[in-house]
Amino acid sequence: MRTVHAYGAVDATSPLVPLTIERRDLLPHDVLIDIDYAGICHSDIHTIRGEWGQIQYPQVVGHEIVGRVAAVGSAVTKHRVGDTVGVGCQSNSCGECAQCALGHDQYCINGNTQTYNGVDVDGTITQGGYSEAIVTNENYVVRIPEGLDPAKAAPLLCAGITTYSPLRHWGAGPGKRVAVVGMGGLGHMGVKLAVALGAEVTVLSRGTKKRDDALAFGAARYVDTTDPEAFGALKGSLDLIINTVSAGLDITSYLQLLDVDGALVNVGAPAEPFSVPAFSLIPARRTLAGSTTGGIGEIQEMLDFCAEHGIHPETELVGATEINEAWERVLSSDVRYRFVIDTHTLADAAASADQGLADAPRP
């Protein structure tokens, strides 16, 4: 076992605090990664607050991980010590079901192992990337291409693949009219990727404060969804809508924007169910769908694509002691567009916390 510094939650409501966690000994096909950077995803907050089901505390989240291989198991062939690598949302799967055989381990029929709040091979609860190191099976570790800046690449392991996968599956490319709903951490990656794939891109977002960014990222059109006249002009004009927001929407009004055979794909996960009248789908053979992240092979494809096209997330680097503030800023949409933690700061944060306890007055 190896003990590492981390930042995590002790319950659903308290601020995150410095922790120490254990990483298991290497199995033959395992890779030990010294983490350099970890992205902050809204999913981290949903999970810690118990909004997506029960979890066990203490819990360390983070599934956008970039670092360097520090050691490998005796049977590892895919990675070498010193390689710059990444770990995303899943860190294992059964490897045997029909979906795994197709390379769709994100849809593992038997349930893949999530990088945090999952059950690891030794029966312990997985702990994520807000930490100094992680141990992962080599098949779930991806290569970070030389063309990507490691300090910016971490959000690609969730925000990037979560938008790339449906764009590829529903055929975004030249001649396709694609809209992205919301331009936050996921949405801004959806815009950049759809543009690079050759689609004509429309951004549908509340207000106008992100209009200039959307156009700079290559969008052909920006529509303020608070404008009551906006949707009328767009009716029947889109082939694919990627909805990245987790807030409830009037799904029917968005479906009306689709042409015949168009699809609205949800990658955001609102807590409340929405109602969909059948006749918002039937007359134009429209599809309402959902999509999760991507399989490991598709993640590597996405990383290579981003390196080839010079695509990086827009990021703000923070230290460990700034994580709680960053979470509050995520909740208030005060980030353009993704926070990345410099995990080298975890040890200093732990030392400061220990010193604070030592200096506290005795009762």
Side-chain angles (χ1 to χ4, degrees), residues 23-42:
R23 295 304 191 185
R24 57 180 169 80
D25 294 331
L26 295 182
L27 298 171
H29 287 279
D30 282 343
V31 174
L32 171 65
I33 301 167
D34 284 339
I35 300 173
D36 294 317
Y37 304 102
I40 293 177
C41 178
H42 204 151

Side-chain angles (χ1 to χ4, degrees), residues 54-134:
Q54 290 187 333
I55 68 170
Q56 293 188 30
Y57 301 97
Q59 177 62 234
V60 174
V61 291
H63 55 207
E64 300 177 340
I65 300 167
V66 170
R68 291 154 292 110
V69 176
V72 297
S74 59
V76 169
T77 60
K78 295 184 177 181
H79 307 284
R80 297 181 297 179
V81 172
D83 287 351
T84 301
V85 295
V87 177
C89 298
Q90 64 263 26
S91 56
N92 215 327
S93 69
C94 78
E96 298 176 350
C97 71
Q99 291 303 314
C100 285
L102 291 170
H104 301 159
D105 46 274
Q106 77 273 34
Y107 299 119
C108 176
I109 294 170
N110 296 309
N112 60 41
T113 300
Q114 294 293 287
T115 297
Y116 60 75
N117 195 39
V119 180
D120 211 344
V121 293
D122 60 356
T124 61
I125 301 301
T126 56
Q127 305 284 341
Y130 295 14
S131 59
E132 293 179 309
I134 192 167

Side-chain angles (χ1 to χ4, degrees), residues 147-150 152-153 156 188-189 192 306-307 310-315:
L148 293 178
D149 179 353
K152 287 183 167 292
L156 294 175
H188 92 287
M189 286 308 309
K192 289 188 174 190
C306 288
I311 298 172
H312 286 88
E314 304 296 314
T315 60

